[in-house]
Amino acid sequence: MKKTIHYFENPGIENTDKVIELVKARKDELGIKNIVIASASGKSGVKLAEKISDAHIVDVTHHAGFRGGDKIEIEAEYREELEERGVEIYAGSHSLSGVGRGISNKFGGVTPVEIVAETLRLFSQGIKVCVEVSIMAADAGLIPTDSEVIAIGGTGTGVDTAVVLKPAHMSNFFNLRIHEIIAMPRP
């Protein structure tokens, strides 16, 4: 099999449209029916849903309090648009930080989960995010763990990374398999 990976010179929002174009093409080639996207505000999720209407899409936003207070970051206008387009929205604890980060912040040190996250960041922040949101969506019962999905993530705002993977629940993390990298920034 021959497969092309699209590399971006820099991470960031300027890659969002190209990632979505590449995801649409690969989804069609493979017949993938489920896509999970990290989109805290919902803006990238809306862009994806505008271009792809024949897949089940899950938009994963930050958990309440991620930036302080009790606020969930998804913006009302984007939430409404996502709901109108049938996109499921999930806000929950980050699978690759969660309570472990709270322990490290208070007592110092590092947890095994944080080591896993840092290892994935050796590829890119977006790869780590793709793995993380797929676990979160699987744990919420929003995507299947018995078939390939496309996961989309990024660095800061927008998206710059997409992978084809077979997700797993948090409790069987090491069953997760990344099958293809569709696009990512060069670290």
Side-chain angles (χ1 to χ4, degrees):
M1 177 187 308
K2 184 175 180 181
K3 172 74 179 77
T4 301
I5 299 172
H6 188 96
Y7 292 102
F8 298 108
E9 202 55 46
N10 297 298
I13 193 170
E14 64 272 11
N15 303 311
T16 299
D17 292 337
K18 183 65 176 180
V19 167
I20 292 170
E21 174 189 319
L22 294 165
V23 163
K24 182 174 180 10
R26 196 64 182 140
K27 176 202 75 67
D28 291 343
E29 290 167 3
L30 294 174
I32 290 180
K33 298 180 178 8
N34 293 279
I35 302 172
V36 59
I37 184 169
S39 181
S41 71
K43 184 176 182 178
S44 295
V46 167
K47 281 187 162 198
L48 178 68
E50 288 172 347
K51 301 288 183 190
I52 298 175
S53 60
D54 60 345
H56 172 245
I57 299 172
V58 177
D59 182 294
V60 177
T61 185
H62 291 142
H63 61 80
F66 184 80
R67 300 221 189 271
D70 292 329
K71 186 176 188 242
I72 292 179
E73 294 175 54
I74 197 158
E75 295 177 22
E77 67 180 286
Y78 298 132
R79 176 186 286 277
E80 185 176 319
E81 176 87 17
L82 290 166
E83 289 171 348
E84 284 175 8
R85 292 181 177 275
V87 174
E88 293 194 76
I89 300 166
Y90 177 75
S93 299
H94 287 66
S95 60
L96 295 179
S97 61
V99 173
R101 182 176 293 154
I103 293 168
S104 294
N105 288 343
K106 181 157 179 87
F107 300 108
V110 64
T111 65
V113 171
E114 291 170 304
I115 293 169
V116 168
E118 285 302 316
T119 302
L120 291 167
R121 284 187 187 104
L122 293 172
F123 292 94
S124 74
Q125 173 67 17
I127 294 287
K128 190 277 290 185
V129 171
C130 287
V131 168
E132 187 163 48
V133 297
S134 69
I135 294 166
M136 293 164 68
D139 279 355
L142 300 174
I143 58 171
T145 59
D146 62 354
S147 59
E148 291 182 341
V149 305
I150 293 178
I152 305 169
T155 309
T157 58
V159 294
D160 55 30
T161 306
V163 300
V164 176
L165 58 74
K166 187 168 176 273
H169 297 287
M170 194 180 315
S171 58
N172 347 21
F173 169 77
F174 290 104
N175 289 342
L176 186 144
R177 293 290 178 260
I178 298 173
H179 293 290
E180 298 179 13
I181 298 171
I182 297 170
M184 67 177 269
R186 289 175 48 98

